[in-house]
Amino acid sequence: MRTRNSGAATHDVEAATDVISLRRSVAAGAVGVFVHWFDWAAYAYLAGTVATVFFPSEDSTSGLLAVFGVFAVSFGIRPIGALVFGSLGDRIGRKRTLSLVIFTMSGATLGIGLLPGYASLGIAAPVILVLLRLVQGFAAGGEFGSAASFLAESAPRRRRGFGVSWLEVGSLLGFLAGSFVFLLLSTGLDDSRLTSWGWRIPFLIAAPLGIIGFIIRTKIEDTPEYRAMEANDTAPRSPVRELLRSHRRELLQAAGLMTAMHVPFYAVLTYLVTYQTDHLGHSADSAALLSTAISLLGLALVPLFGLLSDRVGRKPVFVGATAALFVLSTPAFLLMRTGLAGTWVAGLLLGAILAAILGTYAVWSAEVFPTRTRQSGLSISYNLTAALFAGTVPYLMTMLISTTGSTLVPGPYLMVFAAGGLVAALTLRETAGSTLLRPEDVSESPSESPSGTPRGEAA
């Protein structure tokens, strides 16, 4: 017979979640990544204008490099945000960190939209811009882990893959929305108006979106798993230390899954635009149109692959996707050499493979960790791999093509990371339909005792 506490906790966790509750959870979890990627796309596309406003120089390249340097700095600080917000989420709950992250991120975005340029503030303007981007990056370091933990623990067990996949739908929607707003601004405003005030619009739009997200997140309940830990008074005091002591293997496995997502994501959705114009001779409009088509394909396929992973398992979908990426990456870039039609077929093929990875990696990573350290594990593995491998994709591909003289380099480059993800996936057990609350989550962990001796028995 189960103990009273563990029986109640299991009953609470496995209680059915109705459709309205699932939709509310999806909205609360995905709104933050939407705001983050909207801001990311707007900043990237408006880099030239931002350089003119904040880094005036006779050499336009210097100003642009300064803007991209600020962009890189915001990536570099994310692992610190992951440590802080990951630990907070495991100690005080998913709901509180979700609210804190989006409040901080939106406040910094609003600050950028209102910040006077170099002409008004002088050197203080770029300094404040750097500080605001650091705050954004710090908060963004806590967004994925908070949202993925919340969605995984809020979704019905048999539809968890479908529920968590909407996290990436939010990312793709934010990316597309930022691109669309930039298109409207660049076609509707001349250069002088875009430079004087038009560039501020995306950042000012992101702020009220963040406020709406904050309101949504403050009105939700915390997850059943976390409430079960609160009821048993077993929330960890030092989740990061516990993670590094007891779950290093899971941390490496999750990092393998995430690296296999980061690299093709940035290669297919961002670098491919540059590749088409610089190495294939296609127009910028054609390249942007293909990028949009790939994003739209992802919006349709990601939740379907999440749903498929609920039916057949995480492992068959993810292993199939990474194996396909390994086998087809180089042929896809060969196909691009045949002309515009070949480029579209190859780009959409890579987009479909990416959608399968996006639909499964987050939920599988969430199911790998116990509830006690889930948010820390997700936050650290996601942001460390992003800092090391995501932002470097365009730079490394450009450098390797220049060094080797071969435009086929992106194919083997993708193969390397597909192989890493495949190895990680093959070492993982199948977790579809599993319970997220483990005995260690509702009983005192031995590592929590100051003396190092157990203070409670397993449930």
Side-chain angles (χ1 to χ4, degrees):
M1 180 179 292
R2 291 176 298 183
T3 65
R4 177 182 170 185
N5 280 345
S6 63
T10 303
H11 177 73
D12 190 19
V13 171
E14 295 183 351
T17 305
D18 58 26
V19 174
I20 294 176
S21 177
L22 178 58
R23 288 176 178 171
R24 187 182 298 116
S25 298
V26 165
V31 66
V33 293
F34 174 88
V35 172
H36 163 57
W37 281 98
F38 179 87
D39 166 75
W40 186 93
Y43 188 88
Y45 281 114
L46 288 165
T49 304
V50 173
T52 301
V53 174
F54 289 98
F55 300 93
S57 171
E58 294 180 0
D59 180 6
S60 60
T61 301
S62 298
L64 193 58
L65 287 173
V67 169
F68 283 130
V70 175
F71 190 73
V73 165
S74 69
F75 262 92
I77 200 172
R78 288 187 189 187
I80 299 176
L83 284 169
V84 173
F85 287 109
S87 179
L88 276 176
D90 288 326
R91 289 169 53 206
I92 67 173
R94 320 308 188 201
K95 171 185 173 177
R96 293 177 183 175
T97 50
L98 279 170
S99 301
L100 183 58
V101 162
I102 200 169
F103 179 80
T104 306
M105 193 161 50
S106 301
T109 301
L110 177 61
I112 291 175
L114 297 175
L115 182 63
Y118 187 91
S120 300
L121 293 183
I123 192 64
V127 170
I128 296 173
L129 176 66
V130 170
L131 292 175
L132 289 172
R133 288 298 296 182
L134 285 172
V135 172
Q136 281 181 321
F138 179 76
E143 178 59 42
F144 173 83
S146 303
S149 296
F150 177 81
L151 280 174
E153 294 171 4
S154 298
R157 184 162 56 157
R158 299 296 176 184
R159 302 188 69 193
R160 191 182 297 140
F162 178 72
V164 177
S165 70
W166 284 89
L167 188 68
E168 293 305 325
V169 172
S171 299
L172 292 170
L173 276 175
F175 183 84
L176 277 173
S179 305
F180 181 68
V181 170
F182 168 74
L183 178 63
L184 291 179
L185 291 173
S186 60
T187 56
L189 299 175
D190 57 31
D191 288 343
S192 63
R193 290 180 179 178
L194 187 63
T195 302
S196 61
W197 55 268
W199 69 271
R200 301 181 183 276
I201 291 176
F203 300 100
L204 297 177
I205 290 174
L209 290 174
I211 293 172
I212 293 171
F214 177 77
I215 293 172
I216 292 173
R217 288 178 169 185
T218 55
K219 292 184 179 297
I220 58 174
E221 287 189 334
D222 219 321
T223 67
E225 278 79 4
Y226 195 83
R227 283 186 278 123
M229 285 204 306
E230 284 188 317
N232 285 273
D233 194 25
T234 55
R237 297 186 185 93
S238 304
V240 174
R241 184 173 63 184
E242 185 174 324
L243 175 74
L244 297 177
R245 176 184 298 171
S246 305
H247 302 289
R248 289 190 296 270
R249 176 183 172 88
E250 291 89 340
L251 192 62
L252 290 173
Q253 289 169 322
L257 300 183
M258 291 176 181
T259 303
M261 177 279 300
H262 283 308
V263 174
F265 185 96
Y266 280 84
V268 174
L269 290 178
T270 59
Y271 176 71
L272 192 57
V273 174
T274 302
Y275 183 82
Q276 291 177 76
T277 56
D278 290 358
H279 301 295
L280 300 179
H282 301 324
S283 68
D285 290 342
S286 173
L289 185 60
L290 176 55
S291 179
T292 300
I294 293 172
S295 297
L296 291 172
L297 179 67
L299 287 176
L301 293 182
V302 166
L304 294 181
F305 279 117
L307 188 62
L308 181 64
S309 78
D310 288 327
R311 300 285 177 83
V312 304
R314 319 295 184 218
K315 182 170 282 192
V317 178
F318 192 90
V319 167
T322 48
L325 185 64
F326 182 83
V327 172
L328 297 175
S329 290
T330 298
F333 281 90
L334 278 169
L335 182 59
M336 290 181 194
R337 289 181 168 184
T338 63
L340 185 60
T343 301
W344 271 74
V345 171
L348 292 174
L349 173 64
L350 291 173
I353 294 172
L354 174 62
I357 295 173
L358 290 174
T360 50
Y361 88 96
V363 66
W364 204 4
S365 299
E367 290 169 336
V368 164
F369 297 103
T371 302
R372 295 175 58 82
T373 58
R374 180 166 296 118
Q375 189 163 322
S376 295
L378 287 171
S379 298
I380 293 170
S381 56
Y382 181 90
N383 287 284
L384 273 179
T385 53
L388 292 172
F389 303 110
T392 57
V393 168
Y395 176 83
L396 287 177
M397 291 220 185
T398 301
M399 183 190 71
L400 289 171
I401 289 175
S402 175
T403 301
T404 63
S406 173
T407 57
L408 287 179
V409 161
Y413 190 85
L414 288 175
M415 289 175 65
V416 170
F417 293 97
L422 188 58
V423 169
L426 291 174
T427 66
L428 281 165
R429 61 184 176 85
E430 180 57 65
T431 56
S434 62
T435 181
L436 294 181
L437 196 67
R438 303 175 187 176
E440 65 196 88
D441 296 321
V442 289
S443 63
E444 186 93 34
S445 172
S447 64
E448 292 296 292
S449 172
S451 63
T453 56
R455 297 197 319 191
E457 297 297 323

